[in-house]
């Protein structure tokens, strides 16, 4: 079934501050290359038949390209984002405004959360990350607003500061993840919930291979995650590698650039 994604062209992308271990302001980033790579990702979605909507980028918000962090949308209801770092603070209202202007029922959050960066939706539950960016109390706030069970998972490695850098849904029932990114208790939860999960290697995780997007059949994934691509193919998935190396300089990959709009208003 075709999906509906919201994306933001990286017209103002740069690395001018460091709020995660991937970012090095001295090294900077090539904005034009980032735009070309982003356009390749957008084209990949459209070639698969998915719908892509665009939000206008805002000058001075270089990380706005990472649309996944802007909200969580389930059943046409929008739980907004409240960013942990001041540098990204204005992004939350900008994304919420995009949805409210189009008639989506929306909730401005009371608690710090970074949208789909830390909330990943399956058929019956929402997996929610905490430890670096999203307050655990936001998990409860999202559950109350969206009416979906939310399972809290604790992240422990600062390289994997969002849940979507350490885990992605393969479909509505199963996931791929990197165990070492999680606390011991969270690993036990994941093992119980997903006994047939695809377990990623450190090499895959360290190129943000788990910051991937699956539509249940096709998986759009960072090209460097070679082991993970082989395992996905063995499981029958069509693998579509993309090069987002420039955006990775800010800690982003395919999923970071992609906010899924589930259910229409």
């Amino acid at each position: 079934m075709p999906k509906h994604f919201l994306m933001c062209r990286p017209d103002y992308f740069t690395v001018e501050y460091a709020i995660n271990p991937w970012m090095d302001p001295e090294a900077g980033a090539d904005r034009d290359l980032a735009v070309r790579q982003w356009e390749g990702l957008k084209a990949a979605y459209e070639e698969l038949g998915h719908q892509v909507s665009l939000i206008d980028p805002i000058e001075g918000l270089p990380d706005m390209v990472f649309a996944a962090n802007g909200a969580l949308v389930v059943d046409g209801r929008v739980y907004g984002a409240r960013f942990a770092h001041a540098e990204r603070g204005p992004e939350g209202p900008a994304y919420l405004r995009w949805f409210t202007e189009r008639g989506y029922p929306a909730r401005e959050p009371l608690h710090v959360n970074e949208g789909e960066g830390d909330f990943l939706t399956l058929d019956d539950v929402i997996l929610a990350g905490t430890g670096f960016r999203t307050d655990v109390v936001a998990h409860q706030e999202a559950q109350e607003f969206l009416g979906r069970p939310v399972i809290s998972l604790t992240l422990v490695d600062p390289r994997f500061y969002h849940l979507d850098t350490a885990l992605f849904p393969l479909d509505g029932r199963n996931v791929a993840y990197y165990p070492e990114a999680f606390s011991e208790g969270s690993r036990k939860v994941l093992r119980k919930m997903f006994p047939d999960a695809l377990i990623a290697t450190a090499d895959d995780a360290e190129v943000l291979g788990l910051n991937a997007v699956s539509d249940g059949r096709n998986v759009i994934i960072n090209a460097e995650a070679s082991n993970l691509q082989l395992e996905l193919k063995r499981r029958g998935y069509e693998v579509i590698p993309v090069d987002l190396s420039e955006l990775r300089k800010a800690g982003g990959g395919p999923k970071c650039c992609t906010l899924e709009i589930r259910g229409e208003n």
Side-chain angles (χ1 to χ4, degrees):
M1 179 181 296
K3 293 181 177 290
H4 184 186
F5 298 133
L6 180 62
M7 300 181 70
C8 181
R9 195 171 187 267
D11 287 340
Y12 303 110
F13 177 71
T14 184
V15 178
E16 60 185 27
Y17 49 75
I19 59 173
N20 67 54
W22 302 86
M23 303 177 89
D24 181 359
E26 291 188 7
D30 184 331
R31 174 260 180 199
D32 291 339
L33 177 55
V35 169
R36 291 196 297 273
Q37 292 179 345
W38 178 91
E39 288 176 340
L41 174 64
K42 177 176 178 285
Y45 289 140
E46 292 173 333
E47 287 168 9
L48 291 171
H50 300 307
Q51 177 185 352
V52 176
S53 294
L54 298 177
I55 184 173
D56 291 334
I58 298 174
E59 189 171 4
L61 297 178
D63 284 343
M64 195 169 169
V65 60
F66 301 127
N69 306 154
L72 169 65
V73 186
V74 178
D75 299 326
R77 293 167 65 81
V78 181
Y79 177 56
R82 182 181 292 271
F83 284 82
H85 294 281
E87 292 90 341
R88 300 194 65 184
E91 294 180 43
Y95 276 95
L96 200 63
R97 185 166 54 250
W98 189 93
F99 284 104
T100 57
E101 287 175 349
R102 287 156 181 79
Y104 287 85
R107 167 77 174 262
E108 183 176 354
L110 297 175
H111 302 291
V112 172
N113 83 88
E114 300 198 351
E116 280 198 319
D118 275 323
F119 290 100
L120 297 174
T121 304
L122 284 78
D123 285 349
D124 298 323
V125 300
I126 298 172
L127 302 179
T130 190
F132 296 104
R133 296 293 185 86
T134 294
D135 290 344
V136 71
V137 287
H139 299 178
Q140 181 67 22
E141 185 178 32
Q143 178 173 276
E144 287 299 308
F145 177 65
L146 299 169
R148 293 280 191 103
V150 174
I151 305 296
S152 296
L153 302 168
T154 300
L155 298 162
V156 296
D157 187 327
R159 295 174 301 170
F160 309 110
Y161 56 96
H162 277 150
L163 182 62
D164 72 357
T165 64
L167 180 151
F168 75 93
L170 294 168
D171 50 36
R173 297 284 179 180
N174 201 11
V175 303
Y177 70 98
Y178 176 53
E180 285 73 17
F182 296 91
S183 67
E184 183 54 37
S186 295
R187 291 184 213 176
K188 290 178 180 177
V189 170
L190 288 167
R191 285 196 294 267
K192 288 179 180 178
M193 291 186 68
F194 307 107
D196 192 37
L198 195 165
I199 304 301
T201 66
D203 288 344
D204 293 323
E206 288 166 2
V207 293
L208 291 180
L210 289 156
N211 194 247
V213 176
S214 173
D215 63 12
R217 173 177 173 79
N218 306 284
V219 180
I220 296 87
I221 186 171
N222 276 330
E224 298 89 342
S226 54
N227 296 322
L228 191 51
Q229 290 180 52
L230 288 173
E231 289 301 318
L232 288 164
K233 290 175 182 177
R234 289 191 184 109
R235 293 193 179 211
Y237 292 93
E238 296 291 329
V239 174
I240 300 166
V242 293
D243 181 4
L244 291 182
S245 56
E246 207 61 24
L247 291 167
R248 191 159 66 244
K249 292 178 179 179
K255 176 56 192 170
C256 284
C257 296
T258 311
L259 172 58
E260 183 171 349
I261 302 175
R262 299 175 187 82
E264 297 302 321
N265 61 320

